[in-house]
Amino acid sequence: MRHTNIVFLLQMTKDYLDGKIDVTSYRLDFPYELETRYKNMLRENRLMAELIYDCLVEDGVFLYDELSDEDFEDQIRRQYEFVDDVYHGRTYM
């Protein structure tokens, strides 16, 4: 099965980290996109859907108001690298 929605959200995060999406757009659009796609993501890969929510939303985007822009980007980068490693089989949970 293709992971179209999972790949979309991982790419969106990579685009933010690469400077293609500004921080305001990312922190507002990412949770919306995840919510919109979540049911389909669960069908694609339940573990990855839950991991993306836990790591990139709860331990990522939701921390925006508590962190400086630099610390927020660092946090998203750490979370993204972990999720991306799991997705590509480079690490296990």
Side-chain angles (χ1 to χ4, degrees):
M1 171 178 250
R2 295 181 353 187
H3 297 147
T4 307
N5 295 289
I6 290 168
V7 169
F8 176 86
L9 289 169
L10 291 175
Q11 185 62 50
M12 184 179 188
T13 301
K14 185 170 180 353
D15 287 348
Y16 161 67
L17 294 171
D18 290 344
K20 296 176 184 175
I21 299 174
D22 66 89
V23 67
T24 301
S25 296
Y26 178 75
R27 75 180 185 90
L28 295 175
D29 292 347
F30 188 84
Y32 170 78
E33 290 293 342
L34 183 122
E35 182 180 339
T36 302
R37 299 164 180 271
Y38 196 71
K39 186 183 261 185
N40 290 329
M41 291 171 61
L42 290 171
R43 282 192 289 266
E44 292 174 2
N45 184 322
R46 178 173 290 278
L47 173 67
M48 286 306 302
E50 292 172 356
L51 187 65
I52 288 170
Y53 181 81
D54 291 345
C55 292
L56 293 175
V57 176
E58 284 189 345
D59 294 336
V61 174
F62 286 172
L63 299 177
Y64 176 79
D65 291 332
E66 300 171 23
L67 302 172
S68 68
D69 283 352
E70 184 178 294
D71 289 341
F72 176 75
E73 184 177 334
D74 290 343
Q75 177 68 10
I76 295 295
R77 186 173 308 281
R78 280 190 301 276
Q79 297 298 85
Y80 168 77
E81 288 172 357
F82 174 72
V83 171
D84 192 57
D85 284 348
V86 170
Y87 182 70
H88 288 98
R90 295 184 292 256
T91 193
Y92 300 96
M93 294 180 41

